[in-house]
Structure formats: structure tokens, C-alpha cells
């Protein structure tokens, strides 16, 4: 990494609980490509002031994580169709003080469903109704899934999200999927299982639901092996990890920020470096 200097371009991430995943991934690619750039993670104490800092300091790019993906909408100038369609932002690009919001989470979910060849006739339970849930549910709909239930205790956002895409809503797992509380594919889009959180050791779905499922998908990226992913592997299920989501969405952010698409070899090297932490 080059020594800090006045000509260096800065990109950042904003999250309630920052990790080193994006920092390591982006900085490793900067180094491989010889870019005079640097990436730093922050936990903002005031979101509006943080976004004002992005604008005022000329910070080129800003990744947005839970729980800010919807709150930043009022703070940007332009909503790209990728973000506007689902009212959720995970990427902000600063062009001379004009902030444009994007969502690369959708792209990551879409690609992983395809690469894992998940049958579209599978029943699906999506646990959560926040910004990441919006990207996930939209990707499921656009991929052709029909039997999807959004499980969220807060009826307002949960029902609204489900109905927007023609899916079902349930307040709890016990009443979801015709009362069975399980489905062919389980997707966790809540912070349950996230390192450093109050539920870091918890399972978002009960073991019996995991045992009955065929695919277990956790969008939580840290740790890469969440309790849900470990339980899914132990039960012999196909697992899709949040670390995979993080790599794809971070790559698309990198391209938006820099205008450069790394080679497959460079991406693999950055991914290996990130996971070696």
C-alpha cells in the first residue's frame, strides 16, 4: 500500500459494526493494480454528518451496511435504478459533490442463486425485512421464485415488502410455510449470528428447520462460518455464505468507484487475502 499522501483517493464504509472484509478486499486490489487509493471502515455516530463528510471532503466512494441502507436515501442526490427499485442503498459514488446511490447486494444475491443452481420451484423463507431483505426478495422474484414467505415480527415493513413482490408474510416461523416453519431454502437477512452482536452465537432458524431444508443461505459476512452456515454444513445442506455475498457486492462497488474491473486472478487473490484475516 502506498504511503499516505495528499493525492490519494479515499473510499470508506459505514456500518454499525464495521469489519475488515471490505477494507482488506479493496486495499488489496488497489495494491495489485497500483492505484493511489485507500479504503477505511467507520462506525458513524451521526449518519447525516458522515454523508456530509463524504460530499465535503471529496471521498470518492462509500459502502453502506446495516442499519443505514434505507436511512441514507434522504441524504443522496440521485438514486440509480438498482437502488430506487428496492428503496435500499449499499453504495454511494461521489462525482464532484453529486452523490449517486446504487445497490450491488441485488447483483450478489442474483449471481449466487444462479451459480448454485437453486431450483426456482423451491419454497423459500426469508427472515428479516430490512434493506438487505429488500435486495434479496427482489432478486428472488426476478429469478422466478414463486413460493416465498417473508418472516418479520414487525408487520408494517414485513407485509409491505412481501406484498410489493407478490409474496406471503408471516410474523413468526411457527406460522410460516403452511405452519411447518421451514422451506426448501432458508435465508437469513438479519444480524443474528453476526460477530460482535448480541446474538452472535444464535441460530436464526431452529435446527429442525435446517434439517428439513435443502439450501441454507446466510447473508451475514462476519464470521464467514456463522452458526447457521456451520449448522447447514453439518446437516449436509447446500450452503451459500455471506462472505460470498460480500465478495461479489464489493467487487461491483470497486468497479463503480474506480472504473476498473480486475481480472479473475486478481479477484481471487483479493478474496483469499480477505479470508486469511
Amino acid at each position: 500500500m502506498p504511503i499516505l499522501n495528499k493525492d490519494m483517493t479515499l473510499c470508506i464504509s459505514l456500518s454499525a459494526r464495521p469489519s475488515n472484509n471490505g477494507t482488506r478486499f479493496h486495499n488489496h486490489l488497489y495494491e495489485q493494480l497500483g492505484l493511489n487509493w485507500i479504503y477505511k471502515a467507520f462506525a458513524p455516530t451521526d449518519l447525516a454528518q458522515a454523508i456530509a463528510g463524504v460530499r465535503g471532503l471529496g471521498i470518492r466512494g462509500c459502502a453502506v451496511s446495516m442499519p443505514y441502507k434505507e436511512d441514507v436515501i434522504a441524504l443522496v442526490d440521485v438514486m440509480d435504478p438498482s437502488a430506487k427499485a428496492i428503496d435500499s442503498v449499499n453504495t454511494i459514488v461521489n462525482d464532484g459533490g453529486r452523490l449517486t446511490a446504487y445497490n450491488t447486494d441485488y447483483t450478489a444475491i442474483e449471481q449466487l442463486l444462479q451459480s448454485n443452481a437453486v431450483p426456482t420451484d423451491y419454497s423459500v423463507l426469508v427472515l428479516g425485512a430490512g434493506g438487505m431483505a429488500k435486495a434479496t426478495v427482489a432478486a428472488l422474484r426476478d429469478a422466478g421464485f414463486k413460493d416465498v414467505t417473508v418472516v418479520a415480527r414487525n408487520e408494517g415493513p414485513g407485509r409491505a415488502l412481501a406484498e410489493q413482490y407478490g409474496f406471503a408474510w408471516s410474523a413468526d416461523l411457527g406460522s410460516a410455510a403452511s405452519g411447518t416453519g421451514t422451506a426448501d431454502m432458508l435465508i437469513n437477512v438479519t444480524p443474528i449470528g453476526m460477530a460482535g452482536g448480541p446474538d452472535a452465537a444464535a441460530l436464526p432458524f431452529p435446527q429442525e428447520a435446517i434439517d428439513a431444508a435443502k439450501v441454507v443461505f446466510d447473508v451475514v459476512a462476519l464470521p464467514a462460518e456463522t452458526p447457521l452456515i456451520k449448522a447447514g454444513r453439518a446437516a449436509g445442506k447446500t450452503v451459500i455464505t455471506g462472505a460470498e455475498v460480500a465478495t461479489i457486492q464489493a467487487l461491483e462497488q470497486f468497479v463503480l468507484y474506480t472504473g476498473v474491473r480486475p481480472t479473475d486472478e486478481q479477484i481471487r487473490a483479493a478474496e483469499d487475502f480477505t479470508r486469511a484475516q
Side-chain angles (χ1 to χ4, degrees):
M1 185 180 299
I3 295 174
L4 290 170
N5 59 82
K6 68 179 181 62
D7 298 317
M8 182 170 277
T9 299
L10 173 64
C11 289
I12 68 171
S13 66
L14 300 177
S15 173
R17 291 197 290 271
S19 76
N20 280 323
N21 286 352
T23 301
R24 291 172 66 86
F25 184 84
H26 285 267
N27 284 324
H28 193 271
L29 284 175
Y30 297 155
E31 185 174 12
Q32 287 189 84
L33 293 164
L35 298 176
N36 188 27
W37 290 50
I38 192 167
Y39 188 102
K40 175 75 171 64
F42 292 94
T45 56
D46 186 306
L47 182 63
Q49 289 182 356
I51 298 301
V54 171
R55 191 191 307 273
L57 294 173
I59 295 170
R60 170 59 179 169
C62 176
V64 182
S65 297
M66 291 188 289
Y68 306 120
K69 295 184 177 186
E70 295 159 296
D71 294 340
V72 298
I73 291 174
L75 304 174
V76 301
D77 303 307
V78 180
M79 290 282 284
D80 179 79
S82 63
K84 188 174 183 179
I86 57 178
D87 289 323
S88 178
V89 172
N90 83 324
T91 306
I92 298 172
V93 177
N94 182 2
D95 291 301
R98 184 174 175 83
L99 305 185
T100 302
Y102 299 82
N103 193 301
T104 65
D105 289 330
Y106 172 97
T107 303
I109 300 296
E110 179 185 49
Q111 289 185 20
L112 287 167
L113 291 172
Q114 291 177 352
S115 64
N116 285 275
V118 181
T120 56
D121 62 354
Y122 273 12
S123 59
V124 185
L125 290 183
V126 178
L127 183 62
M132 189 66 183
K134 290 181 177 181
T136 301
V137 172
L140 288 167
R141 192 277 309 273
D142 292 348
F145 288 83
K146 305 293 185 185
D147 186 2
V148 177
T149 301
V150 175
V151 181
R153 286 176 293 181
N154 192 330
E155 181 175 358
R159 185 183 291 277
L161 175 59
E163 291 181 350
Q164 179 180 356
Y165 294 97
F167 297 143
W169 165 80
S170 176
D172 56 69
L173 289 167
S175 58
S178 302
T180 65
T182 191
D184 296 318
M185 179 162 59
L186 307 176
I187 307 180
N188 175 46
V189 287
T190 75
I192 297 173
M194 183 181 293
D199 299 311
L203 281 173
F205 296 95
Q207 186 63 52
E208 54 267 28
I210 297 168
D211 291 339
K214 298 173 183 176
V215 179
V216 172
F217 191 165
D218 197 344
V219 303
V220 172
L222 188 68
E225 293 288 313
T226 63
L228 178 59
I229 292 299
K230 288 180 179 178
R233 288 195 197 282
K237 310 301 177 180
T238 297
V239 298
I240 305 174
T241 71
E244 295 173 278
V245 175
T247 294
I248 296 171
Q249 67 86 14
L251 170 62
E252 297 306 318
Q253 288 176 332
F254 182 92
V255 175
L256 286 169
Y257 299 156
T258 66
V260 177
R261 184 169 291 277
T263 66
D264 290 344
E265 183 179 359
Q266 289 168 333
I267 295 166
R268 284 193 296 271
E271 187 175 18
D272 291 343
F273 180 75
T274 301
R275 293 181 178 178
Q277 63 179 304

